[in-house]
Amino acid sequence: MSRSSSASSLSAARPNVPLIIVCGCLIALLSFGPRSALGMFLLPMTEARGWSREVFALALAIQNLTWGAAQPFAGMLADRYGTARVFIAGVVIYSLGLVAMAYAETPVWLHVSAGVMIGIGIASSSFALVIAAFGRVVTPERRSMAFGIGTASGSMGQFVFGFLAPPLIDGLGWQMALIAMGGLMLAVVPLAFALRGKSEYTPSHAGEKDQSLKQAVAEAFGTRGYVLLSFGFFVCGFHVAFITVHLPPYIVDLGLAPFWGGLSIALIGLFNIFGSLASGYIGGRFSKPYLLSLIYLSRAAAILIFLMVPATPFTVMAFAAVMGLLWLSTVPPTSGLVAVMFGPRYMGTLFGFVFFSHQLGSFLGIWLGGRLYDETGSYDTIWWLGIALGLFAAIVHWPIREAPVGRLASVPAE
């Protein structure tokens, strides 16, 4: 083979990074949007079906738990068989789950559709897999920013669907609004082909040996920083899920119009675009563990101030803006730490396990919010618990070492 033909073959095999980034961002937008707007269906669905808030909250809590439990397996399948296949299967399940949710007439069917089906669908089409795909094709020095861009795209989905859901519900009714969102999800299918490919082992230095998946998982759970990272991400899930589902009805309980609930979720998504991008930029230049501690400490302070000031449209929007800056800004440094510690080889799987902890927190935040509200008629207890957990997360991230594990410590920097 001539030198020119060899160069041509090498060029053909090289991934089209800009196309992967663009399509991955659109997938993150579409997959994160509908699930972030489901809290707006709480009031119309519970009123139409005669359910308590706990019934609806439990369905979304099951969704988050299912999402978390399925995420490591979705990561394993993407690492082994390719991301595009997992995306396509996931988005079909996601779409069917939204349609089935529209026709759920019993709590059990709601828990199956909104809970299990959508949970599996999101796990197989979410920004977690997008980030893992970015980690395979982006250079180490640009990973943190790429992860920030992918996370910001999910936030753009929250912003878009935060504005889209209320008029869809008002204009079409809540059932047809769910069906319409299910149809929109199918746009992920053609986009997924740009992210085809799977994780390949590339040795960084002579004599380096590949790991099995079992060895990689055992190494991760034997690393203190990874375990602490998982504990901290639990708190992120608790905050994000509780606020996504319960902030809109909480705002109505405060005496404000439902419009402000939808706008608050949209505003959180809008400001998290800037928060995620800033987090990706800062995490690429400064300590990721310290950045995470600061984010969680700031969340605790924001919630405390929100509870202390009078409830007005201005204070609600100010809280939404601040929380938006801190929302998923945890994802770039968290995923970045996984990549720093263990490399990109099994990132889909290892970040999946950390994300499972996030979703355990999500389950607790959503379910406890509904349960305590039904028992006390107030969200006060859960808000104060959120403050305490924010302080806990700020503490556990501080001692994490931002360094490769011993196996990789002697590997020259890429």
Side-chain angles (χ1 to χ4, degrees):
M1 184 182 291
S2 67
R3 181 177 299 177
S4 60
S5 61
S6 297
S8 176
S9 299
L10 186 61
S11 176
R14 195 170 294 147
N16 187 332
V17 176
L19 179 63
I20 291 172
I21 296 293
V22 170
C23 290
C25 288
L26 289 173
I27 290 171
L29 185 155
L30 287 168
S31 65
F32 198 73
R35 59 85 48 194
S36 65
L38 292 182
M40 299 175 203
F41 290 84
L42 185 152
L43 291 178
M45 281 198 74
T46 53
E47 290 172 2
R49 301 303 192 201
W51 296 331
S52 69
R53 291 191 187 186
E54 184 184 2
V55 168
F56 189 91
L58 181 58
L60 297 195
I62 291 171
Q63 176 194 114
N64 280 272
L65 189 61
T66 304
W67 178 5
Q71 191 67 68
F73 297 100
M76 291 177 194
L77 291 172
D79 286 341
R80 184 176 179 87
Y81 298 108
T83 307
R85 295 178 182 179
V86 177
F87 273 140
I88 292 170
V91 76
V92 170
I93 297 171
Y94 195 156
S95 181
L96 291 174
L98 286 167
V99 173
M101 180 181 173
Y103 292 103
E105 296 185 353
T106 66
V108 171
W109 190 235
L110 178 69
H111 297 158
V112 170
S113 58
V116 177
M117 292 178 68
I118 294 179
I120 293 173
I122 297 171
S124 305
S125 60
S126 71
F127 65 85
L129 293 186
V130 171
I131 286 173
F134 288 179
R136 293 197 300 265
V137 299
V138 177
T139 59
E141 61 272 13
R142 295 183 178 179
R143 275 183 196 144
S144 183
M145 194 65 217
F147 295 166
I149 292 170
T151 306
S153 300
S155 300
M156 177 60 79
Q158 180 170 329
F159 172 69
V160 170
F161 280 83
F163 271 114
L164 186 62
L168 278 177
I169 294 170
D170 291 340
L172 302 177
W174 63 266
Q175 283 183 306
M176 288 305 300
L178 285 170
I179 294 170
M181 290 197 301
L184 285 173
M185 282 300 304
L186 296 177
V188 170
V189 173
L191 296 170
F193 287 100
L195 278 76
R196 62 185 179 274
K198 58 185 179 180
S199 181
E200 301 287 353
Y201 172 65
T202 304
S204 301
H205 67 296
E208 181 185 343
K209 294 182 179 179
D210 192 12
Q211 280 184 306
S212 68
L213 177 60
K214 182 178 179 181
Q215 289 171 330
V217 172
E219 179 182 62
F221 281 100
T223 303
R224 188 184 72 153
Y226 182 82
V227 174
L228 292 176
L229 197 63
S230 300
F231 281 134
F233 218 33
F234 171 94
V235 177
C236 180
F238 184 95
H239 286 158
V240 169
F242 166 71
I243 291 174
T244 298
V245 174
H246 293 288
L247 182 60
Y250 175 70
I251 289 172
V252 174
D253 292 344
L254 293 176
L256 301 177
F259 164 79
W260 297 108
L263 183 58
S264 67
I265 296 301
L267 201 61
I268 288 172
L270 175 63
F271 274 80
N272 191 51
I273 296 170
F274 304 107
S276 297
L277 292 173
S279 177
Y281 177 84
I282 295 169
R285 288 158 177 79
F286 301 99
S287 167
K288 294 179 182 65
Y290 292 172
L291 173 60
L292 286 166
S293 290
L294 179 61
I295 289 171
Y296 287 108
L297 187 63
S298 300
R299 282 189 186 183
I303 295 172
L304 178 62
I305 294 171
F306 182 52
L307 295 180
M308 295 293 101
V309 299
T312 66
F314 174 78
T315 58
V316 168
M317 294 303 99
F319 173 71
V322 172
M323 286 304 297
L325 292 173
L326 306 169
W327 195 245
L328 293 180
S329 58
T330 58
V331 174
T334 299
S335 55
L337 280 170
V338 174
V340 168
M341 292 177 185
F342 309 106
R345 174 72 167 101
Y346 290 110
M347 188 176 171
T349 304
L350 298 183
F351 183 64
F353 279 112
V354 175
F355 195 78
F356 178 47
S357 178
H358 182 283
Q359 296 309 96
L360 287 175
S362 298
F363 173 87
L364 195 62
I366 295 173
W367 175 72
L368 265 185
R371 179 64 180 270
L372 292 176
Y373 180 89
D374 287 344
E375 288 186 353
T376 67
S378 170
Y379 285 114
D380 288 351
T381 302
I382 204 80
W383 281 118
W384 285 103
L385 182 57
I387 293 171
L389 286 173
L391 297 175
F392 165 79
I395 293 170
V396 300
H397 282 97
W398 197 263
I400 295 175
R401 291 182 64 249
E402 186 177 351
V405 293
R407 176 179 57 85
L408 299 176
S410 61
V411 177
E414 296 182 68

